[in-house]
Amino acid sequence: MGIVTEAWGWLTTGAHWTGEEGIGRRLAEHVYVSGAALLIAAVLALPLGLWLGHLGRGGALAVNVSNVGRAIPVFAVLGLFMVSPLRNAGYVPTVVALVLFAIPPLLTNAYVGVREVDRAAVRAARGMGMTGGQVFLRVELPLARPVVMTGIRSAAVQVVATATVAAMVGQGGLGRIITAGFATYDTAQVVAGAVLVALLALLVEGVLVVADRLFDRHRRLVEH
């Protein structure tokens, strides 16, 4: 229990939360990088996945191509960017690498979510005279939402956890706390940094779960 006590002591030391190297700044950097990457990935992947799922064509190929990204380590992508003109572009290499990492779960779940919608419900909607757009908005999208949200939560947690690699190429974020601990052989600081990343990932997932439930409750109230 000694290392746990030491890590707790490190976290509860006020001086570690302020200043240029403090937890507050590193947390803000981590949230900024993770949020930017997740937002860009969602804008790119969700519309495409939903559209392909609605059409029922080309989705399997798109999902397989995007899943190739799962086999490429984020740090390897960052390493390639570091020897390219983007190496002096601040957080751009990190964000781009995280976007590539986040796209597969977003695209896959968006496509699968729409394709798994009960085809009987879709046929019934078309039989009522709904257009393709109406079927998508009123039937497919609401029924696919749980699967789509699962993909968003999965991508968000993965991005938050993986954003620590930004420290490996000299960028900010909570990973800097961990690398600084390794550099000074401060195990308590390393554990404290890892705990902060884990807590942030859990917090992000919790916020998304609550937001999804609130949205669903509001939708049900509107419908009734």
Side-chain angles (χ1 to χ4, degrees), residues 69-95:
R70 295 179 186 269
I72 303 176
V74 173
F75 190 69
V77 177
L78 278 175
L80 291 176
F81 282 140
M82 287 301 103
V83 295
S84 74
L86 288 176
R87 64 182 180 277
N88 297 319
Y91 285 109
V92 172
T94 302
V95 171

Side-chain angles (χ1 to χ4, degrees), residues 125-150:
R126 293 188 183 278
M128 295 171 59
M130 288 188 183
T131 64
Q134 289 173 326
V135 170
F136 173 73
L137 292 174
R138 298 182 184 181
V139 179
E140 292 178 327
L141 189 57
L143 293 177
R145 182 182 56 80
V147 178
V148 174
M149 283 303 303
T150 298

Side-chain angles (χ1 to χ4, degrees), residues 21-161:
E21 303 293 328
I23 295 173
R25 173 162 184 175
R26 295 309 182 197
L27 179 60
E29 293 170 342
H30 204 100
V31 171
Y32 168 75
V33 172
S34 301
L38 185 62
L39 179 61
I40 294 171
V43 169
L44 293 174
L46 291 181
L48 178 60
L50 293 171
W51 180 64
L52 291 175
H54 174 69
L55 292 179
R57 296 190 300 272
L61 176 61
V63 168
N64 289 333
V65 170
S66 72
N67 282 338
V68 172
R70 295 179 186 269
I72 303 176
V74 173
F75 190 69
V77 177
L78 278 175
L80 291 176
F81 282 140
M82 287 301 103
V83 295
S84 74
L86 288 176
R87 64 182 180 277
N88 297 319
Y91 285 109
V92 172
T94 302
V95 171
V96 172
L98 291 174
V99 166
L100 296 176
F101 186 66
I103 282 178
L106 292 170
L107 180 62
T108 300
N109 280 54
Y111 173 74
V112 171
V114 176
R115 293 310 303 161
E116 287 187 346
V117 169
D118 187 355
R119 292 299 99 186
V122 174
R123 288 193 296 270
R126 293 188 183 278
M128 295 171 59
M130 288 188 183
T131 64
Q134 289 173 326
V135 170
F136 173 73
L137 292 174
R138 298 182 184 181
V139 179
E140 292 178 327
L141 189 57
L143 293 177
R145 182 182 56 80
V147 178
V148 174
M149 283 303 303
T150 298
I152 293 174
R153 293 199 305 271
S154 175
V157 171
Q158 291 179 27
V159 165
V160 169

Side-chain angles (χ1 to χ4, degrees), residues 162-184:
T162 310
T164 55
V165 301
M168 303 296 183
V169 292
Q171 299 297 326
L174 294 174
R176 287 291 290 273
I177 295 174
I178 298 174
T179 55
F182 276 121
T184 57

